[in-house]
Amino acid sequence: MKPANVRIAQISDLHFGRDVAEVAQMLLAELHEAAPTMIAVCGDLTQRARDAEFRAARAFLDGLPAPALVVPGNHDLPGWQVWSRFTRPWRPWRRHLSTDPRGTTAHTADGLVAVGVNTARQWGPHPDWSRGRIDAGQLAAIEAQFDHAPGDDLRVVVAHHPFLLTEAGLHRGLVGRSKTALRRLRRRADLLLGGHIHLAYSGVVDGLVVAQSGTAFSDRLKGEPNSYNLIEADGDRLSVTSHYWDGARFDTRRRADYARDGHEWTVVPG
């Protein structure tokens, strides 16, 4: 049986507290028009993990036109409030998002199984606490979800930290244990989604498609305009289209196409 068509909207790095209201409103309108199967929200909903920022993020999520799979980013932890960071780091997240960031979250639809994993950590190589990590328990939970999914389903991992870097972002670093994760997810997963570095691009690593989205509507730009990705999968074909803000709407686009042969994805030249 041919798998169902799947459309995923991918947004990341909302950074409420540094958000640009005009861009956020246009993004919301375009997401309603796109009518995705699911919306992947790849972390950093807030700038400083303050209650007001989480309330704004919660209101935005409540206005989305499709089920959202939401994972935290490093900015969703208290920053230099050391006591809060080390004793109750996820209290604001739980209060406003009502999910347990220590576990995995899943969303299933016709032709799709997606698993969200929290790669943000309350401590890390000092002074750069922004570096993320994926651990063995999280990988086991992802594997269990995928191993019980129908064989033709598109299998998606939603995280914050990247599994693929371009030259422009090499200084940021891959998610910790990325090599182990890619080895274990090979032939199990199809698509890895992330954010963190505020750049939009996609590519193939170890037979998996990796798609990174830029900052959706914050003013924390890193050399690119605000952006989001629209991912469409139809059987053994998949496309990632990055939509960039042009000052009035998300009208500038860059598309990459991929094809699957068995369990391995490759880039379609073009």
Side-chain angles (χ1 to χ4, degrees), residues 171-184:
H171 63 288
R172 302 300 301 275
L174 294 168
V175 63
R177 296 175 60 86
S178 61
K179 290 184 179 179
T180 299
L182 290 168
R183 174 176 53 80
R184 290 180 59 170

Side-chain angles (χ1 to χ4, degrees), residues 9-13 40 42-43 119 157-166 169 172-175 191-205 209-216 224-225 227-231 240-244 254 256 258:
Q10 180 191 8
I11 63 177
S12 187
D13 297 272
C42 298
T119 56
V157 176
V158 180
H160 178 63
H161 293 86
F163 289 87
L164 171 67
L165 293 170
T166 61
R172 302 300 301 275
L174 294 168
V175 63
L191 178 63
L192 307 179
L193 303 182
H196 186 56
I197 56 177
H198 297 204
L199 301 173
Y201 57 87
S202 63
V204 173
V205 181
V209 178
V210 178
Q212 292 287 128
S213 54
T215 176
E224 285 188 358
S227 66
Y228 74 95
N229 291 337
L230 197 61
I231 299 161
V240 180
T241 304
S242 299
H243 298 245
Y244 295 89
R254 183 174 63 198
Y258 304 92

Side-chain angles (χ1 to χ4, degrees), residues 51-107:
D51 282 333
E53 295 169 355
F54 272 114
R55 284 194 293 269
R58 177 73 269 174
F60 175 83
L61 295 175
D62 289 343
L64 292 176
L69 200 164
V70 186
V71 300
N74 49 285
H75 276 265
D76 299 318
L77 285 159
W80 294 103
Q81 303 168 35
V82 177
W83 177 256
S84 295
R85 187 179 183 96
F86 285 95
T87 62
R88 50 192 186 193
W90 296 113
R91 177 179 287 185
W93 179 276
R94 290 192 178 97
R95 179 186 302 128
H96 297 283
L97 277 296
S98 302
T99 61
D100 183 2
R102 298 188 186 275
T104 56
T105 54
H107 173 77

